Amino acid sequence: MSQALFLKPAPAEPLSLDVWLDRTDRAEVGREPFFRGRDAEYEIFRKAVKSLNNGHVGGGTMIFQGAPGAGKTALMGECMEAVRQHSALDKPWVAVSISPGSLRYPESVVAAMIEATNEENERLLENVADTHSRWLKKTLNQGLQLLREIQNRDVAIQGVSVGKKQQSGSVDGLFRHASSLLKNYHFVIFVDEAQNIKQNDGTEDVLDCLHRQTQGIPMVTAFLGLSDAETVLSKCGLSRLPRGRVKTLGVLSHEETVSAIKSVFATYEFKGSSGSHEEWVNALSELSQGWPQHINSVSVAACQVIRDHRGRLDEDLLPQALDLGRKLKNEYYVSRLRRCSEDPAVYQNLALEAGRMPDGVLSRSRLRNLIVPLLEPPQNFDDFLSNALHAGVLMEAEELPKHYRIPIPSLGDYLCALPVEIRK
């Protein structure tokens, strides 16, 4: 493949307005139709697959982490689509999605790789002459046979049985056994919700095979998770990541935010003057503050109001759209607080303290001194911090380890304005 290897895929097919507005979860219907930005993150992915394409097998692992609503699942969808679009008969690429719980069992991981390979083979074989597809059909048959062996749990690897109770050497052995089938493919493994990976011997051995000892299977792995995903993976034995392969997703730029909202209006062909379009887009962009979850929410709010008023961007409707957008933002913040382990007043104290910092960043020690006196027994600080990261109230600062900030400025404002009694 050329230097243009794995350019961003073409935009997703737009959904009808009613279908898009009725979606309760952006991940429900595949790719995000108005995905924009994330050029730096996508470039990390592109360099990893380019390195794999050039024959550098193993060690190409990537980690994309961030608070809930940062757009990790949308980024994964774009990367998986790029793998599919660049797969060809003479050089097939396979995208494999693996749940974090499956990493404990190597046979589950290898089975997922074989199933994804079979699906890609079938896709590539559609409308292709037999003379060009003989080897793919042979591989498809072999894959089905190996998959049956794995699912029956009775495959023998160098005299070692592979089953739910793993024995020493069985993980490497299973990957080695599958390599004869999979070595002619290029794999990109995707593990979403990586913060939920549990540390145990089986997981550590599987991660080692995915990251470093791939047993000759050409693959790179992308882990996507909440803000402590890198820490979790490090505890599970994933180490010595290539430089620049860990990225924390934050807000989008103003230009990217404007582009995303403009694409919504262009897709659904709302009527109005160019001045009306610009006024609406700028107001919605400012309200979203560049946070992917909010970009979606304020766009949905605007489209609901416009749809209910004959599809026109009337000037007097904008305040109504902004009010609905703020309501959807607050609903998101309420959902974050529900996932928090402590009383809302604790997070109000946190937000007020962060507001006193010039850059809004709190060191771990400063955060500990603030929070520990407020915790209800038996809660401890480490549990609090882990929960705050998973709930999206905090994220680790990318530029300085062990320092934390509130990921969205308006979340800090929301917490500071909570009608609760401040605890000292």
Side-chain angles (χ1 to χ4, degrees), residues 12-20 23 29 31 33-34 267-268:
E13 289 293 322
L15 303 168
S16 72
L17 179 58
D18 288 338
V19 169
W20 183 64
R23 291 172 67 181
V29 197
R31 295 171 64 200
F34 305 110
T267 296
Y268 300 122

Side-chain angles (χ1 to χ4, degrees), residues 36 251-265 276-300 302 318 321-322 325-326 329 408-410:
R36 291 294 186 276
V251 297
L252 298 182
S253 69
H254 175 72
E255 293 74 19
E256 292 166 340
T257 304
V258 166
S259 175
I261 297 174
K262 278 185 175 179
S263 69
V264 177
F265 285 5
S276 296
H277 274 79
E278 186 174 355
E279 183 180 4
W280 277 69
V281 169
N282 287 336
L284 294 169
S285 299
E286 183 177 352
L287 181 59
S288 75
Q289 295 186 312
W291 192 247
Q293 176 73 35
H294 290 342
I295 294 172
N296 179 267
S297 295
V298 302
S299 298
V300 165
L318 179 56
L322 294 176
R326 293 187 190 97
K329 283 178 61 175
I408 324 167
S410 60

Side-chain angles (χ1 to χ4, degrees), residues 214-245:
T214 67
Q215 305 304 322
I217 303 173
M219 72 170 80
V220 295
T221 304
F223 293 94
L224 300 99
L226 297 179
S227 301
D228 59 344
E230 182 184 8
T231 300
V232 170
L233 288 163
S234 177
K235 291 178 180 178
C236 291
L238 193 69
S239 60
R240 291 189 293 179
L241 289 173
R243 185 176 58 189
R245 291 283 175 85

Side-chain angles (χ1 to χ4, degrees), residues 51-299:
S51 177
L52 181 63
N53 184 69
N54 292 336
H56 301 289
V57 178
T61 301
M62 304 157 273
I63 299 175
F64 300 104
Q65 59 186 9
K72 300 178 294 296
T73 301
L75 174 64
M76 185 176 83
E78 292 301 297
C79 293
M80 294 187 77
E81 177 64 14
V83 174
R84 190 192 70 82
Q85 289 190 11
H86 284 79
S87 181
L89 280 170
D90 60 337
K91 196 163 189 177
W93 287 74
V94 183
V96 189
S97 178
I98 296 176
S99 68
S102 297
L103 295 177
R104 182 176 178 182
Y105 306 112
E107 65 271 31
S108 297
V109 174
V110 174
M113 294 173 67
I114 295 172
E115 288 173 346
T117 301
N118 290 343
E119 291 175 4
E120 181 60 17
N121 284 350
E122 291 173 348
R123 189 184 74 85
L124 292 173
L125 287 170
E126 292 178 358
N127 304 317
V128 174
D130 288 345
T131 54
H132 295 96
S133 60
R134 192 171 300 157
W135 80 273
L136 279 177
K137 288 183 176 179
K138 180 180 178 182
T139 304
L140 179 59
N141 291 332
Q142 291 174 335
L144 293 172
Q145 180 181 350
L146 181 56
L147 186 58
R148 282 193 294 270
E149 291 179 0
I150 293 172
Q151 290 171 339
N152 290 335
R153 310 288 191 182
D154 61 2
V155 60
I157 309 298
Q158 297 178 349
V160 179
S161 278
V162 178
K164 284 289 184 182
K165 293 183 179 179
Q166 300 300 327
Q167 299 182 28
S168 177
S170 65
V171 178
D172 289 349
L174 182 55
F175 275 83
R176 199 159 45 242
H177 185 68
S179 65
S180 61
L181 173 72
L182 305 179
K183 64 183 180 182
N184 293 319
Y185 297 80
H186 285 71
F187 290 89
V188 186
I189 310 295
F190 295 89
V191 182
D192 202 4
E193 303 295 340
Q195 76 281 351
N196 293 326
I197 297 173
K198 304 300 183 185
Q199 181 182 8
N200 55 63
D201 291 342
T203 299
E204 291 181 12
D205 290 341
V206 171
L207 286 178
D208 191 55
C209 284
L210 293 180
H211 171 57
R212 196 167 49 90
Q213 301 292 344
T214 67
Q215 305 304 322
I217 303 173
M219 72 170 80
V220 295
T221 304
F223 293 94
L224 300 99
L226 297 179
S227 301
D228 59 344
E230 182 184 8
T231 300
V232 170
L233 288 163
S234 177
K235 291 178 180 178
C236 291
L238 193 69
S239 60
R240 291 189 293 179
L241 289 173
R243 185 176 58 189
R245 291 283 175 85
V246 180
K247 184 68 174 177
T248 299
L249 278 65
V251 297
L252 298 182
S253 69
H254 175 72
E255 293 74 19
E256 292 166 340
T257 304
V258 166
S259 175
I261 297 174
K262 278 185 175 179
S263 69
V264 177
F265 285 5
T267 296
Y268 300 122
E269 299 179 339
F270 294 135
K271 300 174 183 177
S273 66
S274 58
S276 296
H277 274 79
E278 186 174 355
E279 183 180 4
W280 277 69
V281 169
N282 287 336
L284 294 169
S285 299
E286 183 177 352
L287 181 59
S288 75
Q289 295 186 312
W291 192 247
Q293 176 73 35
H294 290 342
I295 294 172
N296 179 267
S297 295
V298 302
S299 298

